[in-house]
Amino acid sequence: MRRTLKLALLAVGAVALLVACAPALTPGPDGQTLRPAVSGERQTLELPGFGRAAYYADPRGQGRPLILTPSVNAAASAYEMKPLWDAYAGTRPVYALEWPGFGSSDRPDTRYTPALMTAALTALVARLGTDVDVVGLSLGSEFVARAALQEPRIRTVALISPSGLGQPRPGTQQASADDGGQRLYRTLNAVSTPLYGLLRLRPVIESFLERSFRGPVDQGLVDYGYDTARQPGAKYAPVYFISGQLFTPDAYAELYSRLTIPALVLYDQDAFVSFDRLSLFTAQPGVQAVRIPETDGLPQFEKLPDVRAALDAFWAAHP
């Protein structure tokens, strides 16, 4: 972690000029400067003390509504769930949430916390006003599990390569036990503009994504990551992510072990998370895991038929 931070800081001066010269973005007809991540109508929720959280809606089809939630990273967006959106839109009501500070959601200079992210998901469930199935990706899975402990209308959760199932450890998946990541946050925030200028460069985004693909990186995901990372205020939430403050220190003990609803884990290899305690999780009633072989964290892009088969079987068993 220290070495990564040092390298990033050394690059600050080199990218400062690029940040200063970045072209301004022009709002489109709907007032958004970011093109839609998926088909469907882009709508917003008002979160008290924060602003608007965006989501996409396609209410066509029959059955329990499905909510898709992306991961959290420097360029996160609902585009990460586009293969699943395209697979299910029109067959059942589908909604894709954008976490506060990411995608088409507002990106103010405020404090980003797991509670804020969870509030966005529970607000969407409340707006739908009915039972739902939720799919989470990576760190988004922790927010999904937290929401499921609060919101009884979340009937099932499916977690794709979830964080929080490894052993608790220092680093990007656990904020400092001494200060909750505040010292690291202050260090990163002091250089956040040029540092984020580095992280949002197209080669850096593609290099990051290469670690989550076994084969070629999906170029649509790279392009959208580049677009979303250029939005005003895009640097604020990622600083909280990098400093570890969006992770639950022991997500298994605090979140996953307390779930009593049906849960599915889809996994294989992942450069960013581990699954040391997956066997403990699957020992709980109603929890199962399906390995999607030859994938590295984004199986919905590389093995969509396998992912969909596992999801369909899971939901069929828990109507």
Side-chain angles (χ1 to χ4, degrees):
M1 182 66 182
R2 289 182 178 177
R3 182 174 181 271
T4 301
L5 179 58
K6 183 181 292 185
L7 290 174
L9 294 176
L10 288 173
V12 161
V15 301
L17 183 60
L18 292 173
V19 176
C21 297
L25 299 171
T26 304
D30 63 353
Q32 288 277 0
T33 58
L34 183 64
R35 60 189 170 92
V38 296
S39 63
E41 183 179 356
R42 186 158 43 186
Q43 302 182 12
T44 60
L45 301 155
E46 193 70 29
L47 301 182
F50 172 77
R52 298 169 300 172
Y55 68 95
Y56 296 88
D58 188 336
R60 298 175 299 155
Q62 302 295 319
R64 199 154 59 212
L66 170 63
I67 298 177
L68 305 173
T69 68
S71 68
V72 173
N73 54 67
S77 74
Y79 197 101
E80 296 170 349
M81 306 304 277
K82 187 177 187 300
L84 290 175
W85 175 279
D86 292 343
Y88 289 104
T91 66
R92 62 184 292 185
V94 184
Y95 301 83
L97 179 66
E98 303 264 37
W99 298 121
F102 296 95
S104 295
S105 292
D106 286 350
R107 307 187 188 207
D109 183 3
T110 189
R111 187 170 179 233
Y112 291 86
T113 65
L116 173 62
M117 303 301 177
T118 304
L121 178 52
T122 56
L124 178 53
V125 176
R127 173 166 291 187
L128 298 181
T130 187
D131 290 348
V132 299
D133 298 317
V134 183
V135 178
L137 175 65
S138 193
L139 176 54
S141 299
E142 295 187 25
F143 310 145
V144 168
R146 188 180 295 272
L149 294 173
Q150 303 173 14
E151 174 52 79
R153 286 172 289 198
I154 297 179
R155 290 286 303 277
T156 71
V157 295
L159 312 176
I160 300 175
S161 208
S163 64
L165 287 176
Q167 295 297 334
R169 62 187 185 277
T172 58
Q173 292 203 41
Q174 181 179 348
S176 165
D178 296 329
D179 67 355
Q182 286 296 323
R183 182 166 54 185
L184 178 56
Y185 168 77
R186 288 192 295 269
T187 300
L188 293 169
N189 193 48
V191 294
S192 59
T193 297
L195 175 59
Y196 191 71
L198 171 67
L199 295 177
R200 76 181 191 178
L201 295 175
R202 189 187 300 271
V204 176
I205 292 172
E206 184 159 12
S207 177
F208 174 83
L209 287 171
E210 283 176 353
R211 302 182 68 187
S212 294
F213 279 84
R214 188 68 56 94
V217 176
D218 183 275
Q219 289 302 303
L221 184 57
V222 175
D223 292 343
Y224 201 85
Y226 179 75
D227 290 346
T228 192
R230 294 172 62 239
Q231 295 299 296
K235 70 175 185 177
Y236 295 124
V239 174
Y240 284 88
F241 163 68
I242 297 170
S243 68
Q245 295 189 66
L246 290 178
F247 292 90
T248 300
D250 188 346
Y252 174 72
E254 297 181 43
L255 304 175
Y256 300 133
S257 69
R258 298 173 54 203
L259 289 176
T260 58
I261 61 174
L264 171 67
V265 175
L266 302 179
Y267 75 106
D268 187 30
Q269 303 295 317
D270 194 308
F272 302 101
V273 301
S274 63
F275 307 103
D276 301 337
R277 292 186 285 181
L278 179 58
S279 60
L280 293 177
F281 191 30
T282 56
Q284 296 173 207
V287 180
Q288 65 183 97
V290 175
R291 190 162 202 153
I292 309 297
E294 300 181 7
T295 60
D296 284 325
L298 291 172
Q300 67 272 26
F301 281 91
E302 298 196 280
K303 292 290 186 73
L304 178 61
D306 294 1
V307 170
R308 183 168 184 178
L311 289 171
D312 289 345
F314 172 65
W315 290 323
H318 303 286

